[in-house]
């Protein structure tokens, strides 16, 4: 008379259906995999504040700016006047540092006049600063002077061998210019970038002409390119390794990966020998033959077969020495056991 609890609990499979479509609907649909979310995108313009300075991204706020246009933007230092290096472009979130600061407006003729006036005032400020440095007898070299567009800050860039106590100098400058004074000590590479000059190649410094930022350069790059390791020959005017050592580094690495390593034991059409020199861009391998150390021949990489690398030769030699060291001991123990 009364239904049991188990009977009242009908499953979806046991429930009656009125038609085929209801039967299909009663079957659980497979869970759909979540589609990967598309990365957020932002419209930006790239602005630089010096001829070869770093490019910073800004939010154009609906303005359409072309390359080499001038714009007034908001920065951490205040209102600045910059030049458009990258016109309006859409980039993903990974390419920007949020939040983006806005472009206030396209520069007007009045803005251009203010910018030129600031440049004139910077030259006067540099002369006054040099006089004050001499008055305070500070061991520092003034490199550059820069006004912010709204004259809210005056920056002096200098180099020095060590730390400089310029507190009194700042007070003197602040009393003259009646604005916020900031002194920044920069490195020798930054100084060279600001001043400019001609390199050993006879062309203007790369850092002054087109490099946006400095890249890491190592002595390994000079070795891979078979250049002289004399520091005077591979160093720039700044005294650091020349930036141009980096330009072909990736190509040399790619070509060196196709060649046998130095000191590898190889087989050639003329016999076996050791690799003594590589010419990566030409794919040439120079081999010194084992029998005659004065005999060196050049081969294309396809004519050379590697028998063992320097590391494998070293491991084989260590294993041989280890076995030879064990053999006398084992022979001695064997002899003692027989006696």
């Amino acid at each position: 008379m009364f239904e049991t609890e188990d009977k009242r609990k009908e499953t979806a499979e046991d429930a009656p259906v009125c038609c085929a479509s209801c039967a299909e609907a009663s079957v659980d649909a497979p869970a759909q995999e979540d589609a990967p979310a598309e990365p957020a995108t932002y419209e930006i313009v790239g602005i630089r504040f010096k001829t070869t300075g770093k490019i910073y991204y800004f939010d154009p706020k609906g303005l359409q700016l072309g390359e080499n246009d001038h714009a007034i933007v908001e920065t951490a230092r205040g209102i600045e006047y910059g030049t458009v290096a990258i016109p309006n472009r859409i980039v993903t979130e990974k390419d920007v540092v949020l939040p983006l600061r806005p472009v206030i407006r396209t520069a007007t003729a009045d803005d251009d006049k203010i910018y030129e006036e600031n440049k004139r005032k910077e030259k006067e400020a540099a002369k006054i600063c040099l006089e004050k440095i001499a008055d305070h007898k500070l061991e520092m070299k003034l490199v550059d002077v820069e006004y912010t567009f709204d004259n809210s800050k005056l920056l002096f860039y200098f180099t020095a061998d060590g730390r400089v106590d310029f507190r009194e100098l700042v007070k003197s400058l602040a009393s003259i210019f009646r604005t916020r004074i900031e002194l920044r000590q920069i490195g020798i590479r930054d100084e060279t970038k600001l001043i400019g000059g001609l390199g050993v190649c006879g062309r203007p410094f790369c850092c002054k002409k087109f490099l946006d930022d400095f890249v890491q350069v190592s002595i390994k790059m000079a070795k891979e390119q078979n250049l002289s390791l004399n520091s005077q020959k591979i160093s720039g005017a700044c005294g650091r390794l020349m930036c141009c050592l980096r330009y072909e580094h990736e190509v040399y690495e790619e070509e060196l990966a196709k060649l046998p390593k130095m000191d590898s034991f190889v087989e050639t059409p003329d016999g076996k020998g050791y690799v003594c020199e590589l010419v990566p861009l030409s794919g040439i391998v120079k081999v010194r033959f084992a029998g005659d150390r004065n005999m060196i021949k050049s081969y294309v990489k396809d004519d050379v077969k590697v028998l063992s690398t320097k590391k494998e030769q070293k491991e084989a030699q260590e294993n041989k020495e280890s076995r030879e060291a064990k053999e006398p001991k084992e022979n001695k123990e064997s002899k003692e056991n027989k006696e």
Side-chain angles (χ1 to χ4, degrees):
M1 187 171 178
F2 297 99
E3 293 180 339
T4 62
E5 185 73 10
D6 292 339
K7 190 172 181 180
R8 288 199 303 269
K9 292 181 179 178
E10 293 182 339
T11 63
E13 291 80 1
D14 298 331
V17 293
C18 59
C19 61
S21 60
C22 291
E24 291 177 1
S26 66
V27 179
D28 292 337
Q32 295 183 354
E33 295 182 2
D34 294 335
E38 293 185 1
T41 58
Y42 300 88
E43 184 181 11
I44 59 92
V45 289
I47 305 286
R48 61 161 44 114
F49 303 101
K50 293 182 180 293
T51 306
T52 55
K54 188 175 179 180
I55 298 175
Y56 298 89
Y57 288 165
F58 290 86
D59 183 352
K61 292 294 183 181
L63 295 173
Q64 292 297 319
L65 299 169
E67 190 172 357
N68 296 324
D69 287 349
H70 299 300
I72 306 301
V73 297
E74 179 186 323
T75 71
R77 300 192 315 186
I79 306 302
E80 289 284 12
Y81 176 101
T83 304
V84 177
I86 301 175
N88 295 59
R89 179 183 298 179
I90 301 297
V91 298
T92 58
E93 188 174 5
K94 67 178 182 179
D95 296 323
V96 298
V97 177
L98 298 175
L100 287 171
R101 292 183 181 270
V103 175
I104 298 174
R105 65 179 181 273
T106 302
T108 63
D110 290 338
D111 293 329
D112 294 338
K113 290 179 181 179
I114 294 173
Y115 177 75
E116 294 300 328
E117 177 64 16
N118 286 343
K119 288 298 177 186
R120 185 190 64 78
K121 290 162 63 176
E122 287 170 3
K123 293 179 181 179
E124 294 179 358
K127 293 178 182 178
I128 295 172
C129 184
L130 287 172
E131 292 175 1
K132 294 300 178 182
I133 289 173
D135 292 343
H136 289 280
K137 297 179 181 180
L138 297 174
E139 294 184 359
M140 55 190 290
K141 178 183 176 184
L142 183 65
V143 177
D144 195 21
V145 180
E146 183 181 359
Y147 261 109
T148 57
F149 180 75
D150 56 2
N151 284 192
S152 62
K153 187 186 295 185
L154 180 57
L155 298 97
F156 295 89
Y157 298 91
F158 71 95
T159 59
D161 292 335
R163 293 179 63 86
V164 179
D165 185 0
F166 48 70
R167 287 174 292 183
E168 294 301 321
L169 174 62
V170 170
K171 292 178 183 178
S172 298
L173 295 174
S175 64
I176 296 171
F177 296 106
R178 299 295 179 180
T179 189
R180 183 179 176 185
I181 303 296
E182 187 172 320
L183 273 75
R184 291 187 180 180
Q185 185 171 357
I186 60 176
I188 186 68
R189 297 177 82 186
D190 297 296
E191 177 189 4
T192 306
K193 182 180 178 70
L194 287 171
I195 295 175
L198 297 178
V200 293
C201 59
R203 298 178 63 85
F205 293 153
C206 297
C207 57
K208 180 69 174 177
K209 193 71 177 176
F210 61 86
L211 286 183
D212 296 334
D213 204 356
F214 292 112
V215 293
Q216 185 178 1
V217 184
S218 67
I219 197 70
K220 179 186 174 184
M221 297 176 185
K223 290 181 180 178
E224 290 177 346
Q225 297 174 43
N226 293 327
L227 299 176
S228 170
L229 300 184
N230 185 333
S231 61
Q232 293 183 345
K233 292 184 178 180
I234 58 176
S235 297
C238 61
R240 304 291 188 267
L241 292 174
M242 292 188 292
C243 295
C244 56
L245 293 175
R246 181 86 186 188
Y247 298 165
E248 297 180 356
H249 173 60
E250 292 180 0
V251 176
Y252 273 89
E253 278 196 331
E254 183 179 338
E255 294 302 319
L256 282 170
K258 302 174 184 177
L259 301 176
K261 294 182 179 180
M262 285 289 292
D263 297 320
S264 294
F265 188 53
V266 296
E267 185 176 1
T268 71
D270 299 316
K272 298 177 181 179
Y274 296 91
V275 176
C276 61
E277 188 177 340
L278 299 172
V279 186
L281 299 184
S282 304
I284 300 297
V285 180
K286 293 187 178 182
V287 178
R288 177 184 288 112
F289 290 94
D292 187 355
R293 296 186 61 83
N294 295 323
M295 184 178 178
I296 298 176
K297 285 190 176 183
S298 299
Y299 300 91
V300 295
K301 59 186 177 184
D302 295 334
D303 292 339
V304 177
K305 179 182 178 182
V306 178
L307 299 178
S308 62
T309 63
K310 184 178 180 180
K311 182 179 179 181
E312 292 171 345
Q313 296 171 40
K314 185 177 179 181
E315 289 175 353
Q317 182 65 24
E318 289 175 352
N319 292 336
K320 182 180 178 181
E321 292 175 356
S322 178
R323 287 196 303 270
E324 290 176 351
K326 289 179 180 179
E327 284 176 0
K329 185 177 180 180
E330 291 174 352
N331 293 337
K332 184 177 180 181
E333 291 177 352
S334 178
K335 188 175 179 181
E336 289 176 352
N337 291 335
K338 288 180 180 179
E339 292 176 354

